[in-house]
Amino acid sequence: MKPQPFGKTGLTVPPIIFGTSCLGNLYEALPYKTKLECVRQMLAHVPPPLVLDSAGKYGAGLSLETIGNCLRDLDVDPASVIISNKLGWERIPLLGDEPTFEPGAWAELQHDARQRLGRDGIRACYRQGNELLGEPFRAKLVSVHDPDEYLDASADADDRKRRWDQILAAYEALFELRAAGEVAGVGIGAKKWEVIRDLTRVIDLDWVMLACSLTVYRHPPELLSWLDELNRRGIAVVNSAVFNAGFLVGGRYFDYRIPEAGNPADAPLFAWRRLFLARCQEHELEPAAVCVQFALHLPGIVAVALNTSKPERIADNVRLVSEPLPPEFWQVLRNDGLIDAALPLGNP
């Protein structure tokens, strides 16, 4: 597992990046000892630098706070870890019984969060993020978190223009942090790759993180063509949510909804999965391994981001990234129409 250059940042990263939403109590409140063991296992199974991807939105900053506590308790050298903080959400006091953002998603939080973009808002989020991490740890990578969702909340065309300008103003502030040497790289994380594409046409990012966009199930040719453009520009790409929220490997959720087996619109999705799982079983391959290897080895992908709340799963996740699959299996998937026939043989 050899680290490789991360775009134009001057940093190198391993092919696996660890998501940390579980450290912010996503869906369940994990005991601190479990969170600590997760970080311990990450350090044990990945050569430095360990890359942790977090956000102010994760548990209203609880994820960042937990990262700092765990790294200090494990006496980790700050030089051996890279923390990525997706900015745009600021911790505020909790006034009700539960947080007002993403109701039902976060368990037992003691704080709420509000969205803040624009120049001043993103700087406030950056400062608070480093305060939550605590010395001697700071975010080396920063980005605007889910600008696609921010734009989708527009009331009308004028409101969308205002929100777009707020996003650009936020990036101006982040580029100033990079120019001052406070951060090593500026990027973006979003679910809609088209929004990332539109932003890369007007700003020069160091890296991008795709979510649910580029998977063994979904890899449109126009997205692959855009990846080639990013590669030529030296912009690193991190691929996340490579199981489409778990559905591809047998889970209930596809992206951010629950498909219905009896719904004709969802029938092709279930049919694809049945055949995919059958082919994996026939060739004695883990569906998760196929998803990860496909997502990792597309041109321009530097790393995949994986997330687990179970310490015992860390080693398995590293193995999924480290062990290549038989090249001939991709031809099996092509023959069944499960992946694009135009993808190069032997290298998905």
Side-chain angles (χ1 to χ4, degrees), residues 48-327:
L50 173 68
V51 184
L52 301 174
D53 177 63
S54 190
K57 192 178 186 181
Y58 292 171
L62 177 61
S63 172
L64 292 162
E65 209 167 34
T66 303
I67 288 172
N69 290 335
C70 289
L71 295 176
R72 278 185 293 273
D73 287 346
L74 295 171
D75 196 24
V76 174
D77 180 357
S80 68
V81 63
I82 296 172
I83 299 169
S84 172
N85 188 7
K86 301 192 291 286
L87 305 169
W89 289 82
E90 180 182 45
R91 173 183 282 188
I92 59 174
L94 180 65
L95 302 180
D97 293 333
E98 68 170 311
T100 57
F101 75 104
E102 295 184 335
W106 306 94
E108 299 183 21
L109 297 188
Q110 305 302 312
H111 301 89
D112 204 346
R114 65 179 175 185
Q115 195 165 29
R116 287 197 67 186
L117 290 180
R119 183 185 185 85
D120 293 340
I122 214 72
R123 279 187 168 273
C125 293
Y126 170 72
R127 288 193 300 269
Q128 186 184 75
N130 285 336
E131 291 169 0
L132 292 171
L133 285 168
E135 293 294 343
F137 300 101
R138 298 173 63 87
K140 295 179 184 177
L141 300 173
V142 292
S143 59
V144 174
H145 195 184
D146 288 338
D148 48 347
E149 292 185 358
Y150 186 64
L151 292 171
D152 284 346
S154 304
D156 51 36
D158 288 341
D159 187 34
R160 184 180 176 86
K161 174 63 167 56
R162 181 189 65 81
R163 288 170 180 262
W164 179 262
D165 290 343
Q166 288 285 296
I167 293 169
L168 295 182
Y171 273 111
E172 287 180 6
L174 296 184
F175 291 142
E176 289 172 358
L177 292 175
R178 185 182 64 183
E182 292 191 44
V183 300
V186 176
I188 186 173
K191 302 174 184 67
K192 293 184 177 180
W193 70 269
E194 297 90 347
V195 171
I196 302 179
R197 178 200 59 199
D198 293 345
L199 282 167
T200 59
R201 287 173 173 169
V202 295
I203 56 179
D204 192 21
L205 296 171
D206 298 308
W207 56 275
V208 304
M209 176 179 279
L210 306 174
C212 297
S213 299
L214 187 61
T215 69
V216 68
Y217 173 76
R218 176 190 290 144
H219 43 276
E222 59 271 22
L223 173 52
L224 296 174
S225 175
W226 176 63
L227 283 183
D228 289 338
E229 176 188 332
L230 295 183
N231 201 19
R232 290 193 299 270
R233 293 173 58 184
I235 299 175
V237 181
V238 177
N239 207 350
S240 68
V242 300
F243 310 119
N244 287 110
F247 185 86
L248 303 187
V249 293
R252 293 178 63 212
Y253 283 87
F254 177 79
D255 293 352
Y256 303 96
R257 67 183 183 89
I258 299 177
E260 300 176 11
N263 184 346
D266 288 330
L269 180 59
F270 282 96
W272 186 96
R273 184 173 69 175
R274 281 193 299 271
L275 184 54
F276 173 69
L277 295 179
R279 292 293 180 261
C280 291
Q281 184 177 21
E282 289 169 9
H283 290 263
E284 299 182 342
L285 295 172
E286 294 178 70
V290 176
C291 291
V292 169
Q293 287 294 317
F294 182 93
L296 180 62
H297 287 98
L298 288 166
I301 305 297
V302 174
V304 293
L306 299 178
N307 195 352
T308 181
S309 60
K310 296 177 172 56
E312 63 273 16
R313 284 288 304 167
I314 301 295
D316 285 337
N317 282 351
V318 174
R319 178 180 52 78
L320 295 178
V321 170
S322 305
E323 296 181 0
L325 302 182

Side-chain angles (χ1 to χ4, degrees), residues 25-53:
N25 291 0
L26 180 65
Y27 302 130
E28 61 177 334
L30 298 177
Y32 179 70
K33 65 179 182 179
T34 301
K35 298 178 182 181
L36 184 66
E37 187 59 25
C38 280
V39 177
R40 191 196 312 274
Q41 291 300 313
M42 294 172 189
L43 290 162
H45 288 95
V46 176
L50 173 68
V51 184
L52 301 174
D53 177 63

